[in-house]
Amino acid sequence: MHNKTLSEISSGLRNGDFSSEEITRHFLNRINQLDPQFNSFIAVTEEQAIQQARQADKMISAGETQALLGVPFAHKDIFCTEGVLTTSGSKMLENFISPYDSTVAANLKRAGAVNLGKTNMDEFAMGSSNETSFFGPVKNPWDVTRVPGGSSGGSAAAVAARLAPAATATDTGGSIRQPASLCGVTGLKPTYGRISRWGMIAFASSLDQAGPITQTAEDAALMLNSMAGFDPKDSTSVDQPVPDYRANLNDSLKGLTIGLPKEYFASGLDPKLENIIQEAISEYQRLGATVKEVSLPNSSLSVPVYYVIAPAECSTNLSRFDGVRYGYRCAEPINLEDMYTRTRSEGFGDEVKRRILIGTYVLSSGFYDAYYIQAQKTRRLIQQDFVNAFEQVDVLMAPTSPSPAFKFDEKTADPLTMYLEDIYTIGVNLAGLPGISIPAGQLDGLPVGLQIIGNYFSESKLLNVAHQYQQVTGWHKAQPID
Amino acid sequence: MSIDSKEIEKLADLARLKFDQEQLGEVTDRIASVLDFIDQLHQTETQAIEPMAHPMDAVQRLRADKVTESNQREKYQQVAPATENGLYLVPKVIE
Amino acid sequence: MEWETVIGLEIHAQLATESKIFSGSSTTFGAEANTQASLVDLALPGVLPVFNEQALKLAVIFGLGIGAKIHKKSVFDRKNYFYPDLPKGYQISQLHHPIVGEGHVDITLSDGTVKRVGVTRAHLEEDAGKSLHEDFHGSTGIDLNRAGTPLLEIVSEPDLRSAEEAVAYLKKIHTLIRYLGISDGNMAEGSMRCDINISMRPMGQETLGTRAEIKNVNSFRFVEKAIVHEMERQIDILEDGGSVVQETRLYDSELDETRSMRSKEVAMDYRYFPEPDLLPIIIDDEYIEALRANLPELPDQKKQRFTDQYNLSSSDAEQLAGSLELGRYFEEVVQISGAAKLSANWIIVELSGQLNKNELDIGDSPVTAQQLGELVLRIQDNTISGKIAKIVFQEIWNGKGSADQIIESQGLKQVTDSGAIETLVDEVIAANPSQVEQYLAGKEKMLGFFVGQIMKASKGKANPGQVNEILKGKLKQ
């Protein structure tokens, strides 16, 4: 039953093949049984899930037909969920029961989807391996000695291990696409502003964007239909109608122009991994697409730009964690300064603290122009590169990450090697574009993702392009365990 | 080395963080290497470029001036570390 | 050495909106602690700000009111610092691109000279909450009802040279924001507060001395006292050969002194940068012109109109136009009395005197404009004399009814019957033969004596003009 896609579960529920309670219990059992080896969940909301499932069953028998009604899924623990533990992977929020719902949580609730629990993640989404979580690292279901990627490693691992048919996630520099790639699942990062950020615990406000992690592009379309939409509570939410993202899945790819950014295929990319990507592109050519080389000349600057802007924004986004109104407070503070300093030093993990320091540095007087303003200017150059590219091609294709899943601790010693993990994904966040990672092959038994990048608000096109590939290949069906 | 441990301590002070001497050396090394890496930004000529604060050149939407929130004090203070008579308590502030 | 004082003010005015600048919480003053603090005001994880259109409108109206440049693009910045009443750990403010640019206001000083004071800028920001330091077992209590209330920070040029100028400027801004309806300006409730930047320099020197900033002074009187005190403190330091430390100081109204506030001030670095949760505010000419077209009459215009239309002296017009309510009161009185100068006089001298004595605002006056208008009308039509009018005024003040009722019931109507006055004159002349002789011998001053006696005999009710005329005629006979 757990091998079914979200879409299959959806139609199974409506056909009366099984009830929401049955399938929900099935996944809950599976989580209880298998997750101890993966650690992909921080909290399992068993009681609420069964309640929601029963409610959904009533509605289904009353003839309601919403696509996600009664369908189980999991939330990345970055989304505030009313009455449910919401930690953002941090000791700072170890006991935080959110008094409100994020818009994403509210939207999925309204759609009738059943929340199984909250998935593990890098602390405050800062990491590419899930090793910074206060709740311990998530293990890659393909090889538990390896990382699942991050920061949405829990969501990706849960979907890969079929502990949930779908999960929400967020992507600031690659945090949906990279773990999707490393775990062999489909991960969509929509256009900035497509999904509301209300109630999504902020990492870097101008980069953060929510999206789904699923088995297939079709499932991603189904999730996006409910997650997306204008939200008056988020000033950066874009007021554009939400199409039915499934409507164009079956469009032909004849005449599609694919751009290959030459900088993404340059030295540093494992030739064996490159072969897998090239093979996927050949598949697209067989589907009728043409291929063209393009250039993103400033792409080598995207990682340094990111490591100015993201820490700058996070350093102040995280100032609210001061032990006054919620969350962790140190024991017996002797005075106010002691409370601040110890609360924050004890409540935040090492990587979070480092990023706060870097952010504080690049914003401090005397350095602001040289770092922050210079990074913002370079960010525009990077965006302009993409705009120019999309004048010539419909989509861009590239690897999602430079290597498959790596071993624990392999990249923790030097922060830079970890930061370079996101070298192909960060540009998309800086420009605010949508991108999707789909399974496209395996290297030494580990999944490899193909990244497809689209123009602003071209999610339908991206999903169509991904779906067509999944009609003629089976990589997305490969699973690490039964 | 682009930054020393004294400067790191100053930054930590601004950010209300503290490191003991042992941690300080490691933190300084790591941050120095990140800053060295970031320094490549200075190679690019950006004189004529407008800084980009948001991915899209959108404009602030305005909210109607209406009261939409009601008193939820009890609910919101359930997650607070210390309250009394509806106030959040902190160690005494001396001005 | 002769010293010159250089003062600039940063005035924070709470904008008169229903809801907060970035959330839908009420801004009503005086609610129970933290009952008007929403998710956004409490800075819960994941919450986001959305900007209140009314706050924008009121800020632009202020800019237009001081003839300032309105910036069509303005941007919110984060100002980062830790304080328990600042829930996010940063205040959303505007540093690099404020909504209002350079403008000016004219102030009139006690010697009648008019001085133009530059306004550097005015920007939008959110207020912080309140820290209550009463003892909660050695803790401080935090109330976040005020957090997120919209503020307009109005920054002056360092154009002010004395406490008097500073107070006149502050009063002018206060009058303006009341006229424009952008803030209630209630200083007691903290709706208007001011930070004073003050430095001293030797008279004639160009460069500015080191300044101290006195934070959060919340009454006109305290502004004056704080400045006077701070000037003395700085001069003492400078004349002793010391140097003033650049720092933030607090004015203690009970001890009437300023004292240093934050010892860690030196380490402050606010790390301003554009608030990524908000987008740039863009307005167009149409927006600005629509607001300009609806601007009310402003204090300077009203003053001019009062001198033109009612023939008032410049200082009377200044005083009456100096408060929206006073100007309104004046025009109501004139409407009824038809006598502008007399009405102005009564408001400025009698009414204002009584109000001041009783520490009342014009809005709380026990004598309504209607009542005062009727009283002035009775002076104007000679029903009563000015002297009697003072008695009647006091009775109105005490709630004894309208002017006409009081005149009637207490028989205060002026005697204008010349026969009756003649009788009184005759009696007084007959009773004071020696004074008559002195007068006839050329001592003209004695006329006053006779008038006094006659008025006394009439209990003040005789018409003084008539008394004069009849008396002169009779004495000549």
Side-chain angles (χ1 to χ4, degrees):
Chain A
M1 203 137 73
H2 52 267
N3 292 329
K4 291 184 189 302
T5 65
L6 199 70
S7 311
E8 287 162 358
I9 292 171
S10 172
S11 46
L13 284 168
R14 254 139 297 276
N15 293 338
D17 300 344
F18 43 82
S19 70
S20 174
E21 186 174 343
E22 277 174 89
I23 189 119
T24 299
R25 283 190 189 280
H26 180 77
F27 278 107
L28 288 169
N29 287 339
R30 205 170 152 79
I31 294 167
N32 287 335
Q33 222 170 19
L34 298 173
D35 199 47
Q37 45 179 320
F38 306 129
N39 196 29
S40 63
F41 279 82
I42 290 174
V44 180
T45 50
E46 190 159 342
E47 246 173 71
Q48 284 125 313
I50 287 170
Q51 248 175 24
Q52 282 181 324
R54 284 179 180 159
Q55 177 66 26
D57 283 332
K58 272 188 213 150
M59 291 168 75
I60 290 168
S61 50
E64 296 220 25
T65 59
Q66 302 169 63
L68 291 183
L69 183 57
V71 175
F73 77 103
H75 266 307
K76 182 176 182 181
D77 206 20
I78 202 167
F79 292 100
C80 285
T81 41
E82 186 171 353
V84 172
L85 186 70
T86 302
T87 70
S88 214
S90 181
K91 179 181 179 185
M92 196 57 101
L93 293 174
E94 190 182 357
N95 298 313
F96 179 67
I97 308 290
S98 175
Y100 79 109
D101 264 333
S102 56
T103 296
V104 165
N107 285 351
L108 286 168
K109 216 179 246 181
R110 197 173 319 111
V114 175
N115 177 22
L116 298 167
K118 308 293 289 288
T119 62
N120 202 347
M121 55 182 282
D122 278 297
E123 184 180 8
F124 288 108
M126 296 175 202
S128 307
S129 66
N130 234 289
E131 289 164 288
T132 73
S133 170
F134 172 69
F135 301 91
V138 176
K139 287 157 193 157
N140 194 318
W142 291 88
D143 175 352
V144 292
T145 67
R146 291 174 188 272
V147 305
S151 64
S152 312
S155 289
V159 174
R162 308 297 189 245
L163 305 183
T168 59
T170 60
D171 191 318
T172 306
S175 282
I176 289 175
R177 291 158 289 158
Q178 185 255 14
S181 170
L182 269 50
C183 290
V185 291
T186 299
L188 171 69
K189 180 249 172 228
T191 308
Y192 182 83
R194 178 70 289 188
I195 297 177
S196 169
R197 292 188 296 118
W198 172 264
M200 193 174 106
I201 299 176
F203 164 13
S205 309
S206 78
L207 300 163
D208 293 346
Q209 178 59 211
I213 289 180
T214 53
Q215 291 176 34
T216 67
E218 185 184 7
D219 289 358
L222 207 53
M223 286 291 281
L224 188 60
N225 277 350
S226 288
M227 291 172 77
F230 171 66
D231 183 2
K233 293 204 283 286
D234 174 1
S235 295
T236 61
S237 167
V238 178
D239 194 358
Q240 274 212 14
V242 179
D244 179 353
Y245 288 106
R246 289 175 304 181
N248 297 91
L249 289 175
N250 293 316
D251 288 2
S252 160
L253 297 189
K254 283 212 171 61
L256 181 81
T257 316
I258 297 169
L260 303 181
K262 64 177 182 194
E263 294 80 5
Y264 286 10
F265 292 89
S267 62
L269 181 60
D270 182 338
K272 283 188 282 184
L273 197 147
E274 180 174 353
N275 285 342
I276 292 170
I277 299 301
Q278 291 296 357
E279 177 46 41
I281 289 160
S282 304
E283 193 64 59
Y284 274 106
Q285 287 173 308
R286 289 192 281 278
L287 287 167
T290 54
V291 173
K292 191 173 175 181
E293 187 185 90
V294 293
S295 176
L296 304 171
N298 294 288
S299 64
S300 70
L301 295 170
S302 59
V303 179
V305 166
Y306 179 85
Y307 279 95
V308 172
I309 290 174
E313 292 182 2
C314 92
S315 71
T316 96
N317 279 337
L318 266 50
S319 292
R320 68 190 60 200
F321 299 102
D322 58 3
V324 177
R325 299 162 312 286
Y326 49 79
Y328 179 76
R329 177 189 283 199
C330 69
E332 292 170 30
I334 53 167
N335 57 37
L336 184 69
E337 286 306 311
D338 182 50
M339 182 191 77
Y340 279 148
T341 307
R342 278 206 290 129
T343 295
R344 292 169 59 79
S345 299
E346 294 165 14
F348 291 135
D350 290 343
E351 179 63 17
V352 171
K353 284 188 238 182
R354 283 196 289 269
R355 297 210 193 180
I356 290 174
L357 289 179
I358 293 167
T360 305
Y361 178 79
V362 298
L363 290 176
S364 61
S365 77
F367 300 103
Y368 178 75
D369 286 345
Y371 287 100
Y372 190 73
I373 296 293
Q374 178 69 2
Q376 282 200 330
K377 288 176 164 185
T378 313
R379 181 176 184 178
R380 191 172 294 282
L381 294 176
I382 290 164
Q383 182 212 32
Q384 206 52 51
D385 287 350
F386 282 106
V387 170
N388 295 340
F390 283 117
E391 281 168 7
Q392 308 163 52
V393 300
D394 298 315
V395 293
L396 298 171
M397 287 191 188
T400 305
S401 68
S403 64
F406 45 93
K407 296 262 189 187
F408 286 104
D409 290 327
E410 193 179 320
K411 298 192 179 185
T412 46
D414 175 7
L416 289 179
T417 59
M418 186 72 87
Y419 293 176
L420 290 171
E421 187 56 27
D422 297 327
I423 188 163
Y424 305 130
T425 48
I426 274 176
V428 165
N429 298 83
L430 293 172
L433 294 164
I436 190 168
S437 177
I438 54 173
Q442 286 187 357
L443 188 58
D444 305 327
L446 295 170
V448 169
L450 167 72
Q451 183 181 204
I452 314 167
I453 300 165
N455 211 337
Y456 295 105
F457 296 102
S458 68
E459 285 81 2
S460 284
K461 170 62 78 184
L462 280 186
L463 289 163
N464 163 229
V465 171
H467 179 71
Q468 287 305 303
Y469 180 82
Q470 291 178 339
Q471 297 309 293
V472 295
T473 59
W475 295 113
H476 60 288
K477 290 183 185 146
Q479 58 190 83
I481 55 165
D482 280 338
Chain B
M1 185 81 90
S2 53
I3 193 162
D4 60 28
S5 55
K6 262 226 160 63
E7 288 171 271
I8 294 288
E9 278 188 304
K10 237 194 276 173
L11 295 173
D13 201 35
L14 276 174
R16 299 297 185 276
L17 294 172
K18 207 170 180 64
F19 299 94
D20 58 37
Q21 282 308 311
E22 211 174 305
Q23 296 168 310
L24 194 61
E26 199 206 330
V27 169
T28 306
D29 288 348
R30 279 174 168 257
I31 287 178
S33 78
V34 174
L35 293 179
D36 288 344
F37 173 71
I38 291 170
D39 271 336
Q40 59 183 295
L41 283 179
H42 299 127
Q43 298 159 8
T44 319
E45 172 56 50
T46 53
Q47 193 104 53
I49 315 287
E50 179 77 6
M52 180 173 155
H54 293 279
M56 263 153 284
D57 289 318
V59 168
Q60 180 60 38
R61 231 174 328 102
L62 301 174
R63 178 176 61 78
D65 181 25
K66 288 211 180 81
V67 175
T68 55
E69 301 295 321
S70 55
N71 175 20
Q72 304 274 337
R73 184 173 78 184
E74 208 175 315
K75 184 177 178 187
Y76 296 163
Q77 292 196 341
Q78 268 172 14
V79 294
T83 58
E84 190 177 311
N85 295 333
L87 295 161
Y88 292 95
L89 292 191
V90 298
K92 196 159 188 74
V93 176
I94 300 147
E95 279 192 336
Chain C
M1 190 184 298
E2 209 182 334
W3 297 95
E4 182 175 44
T5 315
V6 178
I7 302 166
L9 296 189
E10 289 164 19
I11 300 169
H12 293 87
Q14 260 181 25
L15 295 173
T17 56
E18 297 288 318
S19 64
K20 293 186 178 176
I21 185 167
F22 300 121
S23 83
S25 305
S26 170
T27 54
T28 313
F29 179 81
E32 221 183 293
N34 290 311
T35 56
Q36 289 174 181
S38 68
L39 296 167
V40 171
D41 310 321
L42 295 171
L44 258 80
V47 299
L48 297 167
V50 185
F51 181 42
N52 183 337
E53 64 174 358
Q54 187 67 10
L56 172 64
K57 207 179 194 177
L58 298 179
V60 173
I61 289 172
F62 175 78
L64 294 171
I66 60 160
K69 193 172 169 169
I70 306 298
H71 291 141
K72 289 185 190 158
K73 176 180 177 177
S74 61
V75 177
F76 283 112
D77 295 294
R78 289 184 183 178
K79 177 183 183 180
N80 294 285
Y81 65 95
F82 285 90
Y83 206 72
D85 61 20
L86 186 72
K88 294 188 293 297
Y90 54 84
Q91 179 194 31
I92 304 178
S93 180
Q94 297 184 316
L95 178 68
H96 297 294
H97 302 281
I99 179 74
V100 176
E102 275 177 35
H104 58 81
V105 296
D106 292 335
I107 57 172
T108 307
L109 302 172
S110 56
D111 63 2
T113 55
V114 172
K115 174 168 178 161
R116 178 154 286 192
V117 181
V119 172
T120 316
R121 54 184 283 160
H123 64 258
L124 284 157
E125 60 183 30
E126 57 180 340
D127 208 345
K130 277 183 186 160
S131 301
L132 302 161
H133 302 298
E134 298 97 82
D135 208 313
F136 291 98
H137 333 290
S139 301
T140 290
I142 306 294
D143 174 9
L144 297 171
N145 281 348
R146 201 180 65 183
T149 302
L151 297 179
L152 188 67
E153 178 171 336
I154 305 155
V155 182
S156 84
E157 292 287 319
D159 286 349
L160 304 161
R161 293 290 173 269
S162 66
E164 188 208 346
E165 290 186 13
V167 171
Y169 167 75
L170 184 61
K171 282 192 169 157
K172 188 59 177 273
I173 295 287
H174 185 259
T175 303
L176 262 168
I177 63 175
R178 301 277 300 128
Y179 264 70
L180 293 165
I182 65 165
S183 172
D184 68 15
N186 188 330
M187 295 184 86
E189 290 178 2
S191 305
M192 189 168 140
R193 319 189 284 275
C194 127
D195 300 342
I196 308 162
N197 284 299
I198 174 167
S199 66
M200 308 300 301
R201 65 182 171 194
M203 195 61 86
Q205 180 181 303
E206 275 286 322
T207 52
L208 293 170
T210 308
R211 69 193 161 89
E213 183 181 13
I214 309 168
K215 279 269 183 210
N216 269 337
V217 189
N218 65 354
S219 85
F220 297 120
R221 202 158 55 90
F222 291 163
V223 166
E224 183 173 358
K225 292 177 91 169
I227 291 173
V228 168
H229 174 274
E230 182 62 17
M231 280 166 63
E232 283 169 6
R233 190 188 71 90
Q234 292 192 13
I235 289 172
D236 281 352
I237 292 172
L238 293 167
E239 297 203 329
D240 282 353
S243 48
V244 174
V245 182
Q246 181 163 349
E247 63 179 352
T248 304
R249 299 181 70 81
L250 192 72
Y251 176 68
D252 185 326
S253 57
E254 275 168 38
L255 299 173
D256 188 23
E257 62 172 32
T258 67
R259 62 168 183 271
S260 186
M261 228 177 125
R262 289 175 191 153
S263 51
K264 288 188 81 177
E265 185 80 8
V266 254
M268 278 287 198
D269 180 346
Y270 291 123
R271 289 159 284 137
Y272 280 99
F273 78 109
E275 160 61 293
D277 286 332
L278 291 164
L279 299 163
I281 304 160
I282 307 290
I283 51 176
D284 56 17
D285 284 323
E286 207 180 327
Y287 180 90
I288 297 169
E289 292 316 313
L291 293 177
R292 196 196 302 279
N294 284 314
L295 278 186
E297 183 185 41
L298 296 176
D300 292 348
Q301 295 164 335
K302 184 169 280 182
K303 179 186 167 187
Q304 189 59 48
R305 180 166 66 79
F306 281 4
T307 52
D308 294 349
Q309 184 180 340
Y310 299 118
N311 243 327
L312 299 185
S313 71
S314 167
S315 79
D316 284 0
E318 168 91 19
Q319 202 170 337
L320 292 173
S323 137
L324 186 60
E325 290 75 14
L326 205 59
R328 208 177 272 154
Y329 190 98
F330 164 71
E331 294 211 88
E332 249 185 275
V333 173
V334 174
Q335 189 103 55
I336 296 160
S337 74
K341 277 185 143 171
L342 193 58
S343 298
N345 241 334
W346 269 85
I347 293 168
I348 291 168
V349 180
E350 209 63 33
L351 179 67
S352 297
Q354 286 286 333
L355 291 173
N356 284 344
K357 209 163 77 187
N358 292 283
E359 289 182 1
L360 290 173
D361 284 333
I362 183 72
D364 307 320
S365 171
V367 179
T368 66
Q370 171 83 25
Q371 288 173 319
L372 188 62
E374 287 167 4
L375 176 63
V376 174
L377 177 64
R378 291 301 166 237
I379 306 168
Q380 183 66 14
D381 69 9
N382 281 330
T383 306
I384 52 172
S385 68
K387 205 164 174 191
I388 291 292
K390 288 186 186 174
I391 298 166
V392 178
F393 176 83
Q394 200 55 51
E395 295 293 289
I396 301 173
W397 181 279
N398 292 332
K400 300 282 166 58
S402 72
D404 285 351
Q405 286 165 344
I406 293 161
I407 292 166
E408 181 62 37
S409 70
Q410 303 195 12
L412 296 173
K413 206 164 175 178
Q414 185 161 255
V415 178
T416 50
D417 170 0
S418 50
I421 295 175
E422 274 178 38
T423 313
L424 284 173
V425 172
D426 287 342
E427 281 170 17
V428 170
I429 289 176
N432 299 287
S434 65
Q435 281 85 350
V436 173
E437 262 174 53
Q438 288 175 37
Y439 177 79
L440 292 175
K443 209 169 172 190
E444 300 222 350
K445 274 193 196 156
M446 289 313 292
L447 196 65
F449 166 78
F450 291 111
V451 173
Q453 291 295 309
I454 295 159
M455 292 307 288
K456 197 173 161 190
S458 76
K459 299 197 175 91
K461 287 186 285 185
N463 180 311
Q466 272 177 299
V467 169
N468 252 324
E469 209 174 297
I470 294 167
L471 182 65
K472 276 186 198 163
K474 294 239 181 214
L475 285 170
K476 273 182 201 156
Q477 286 167 5

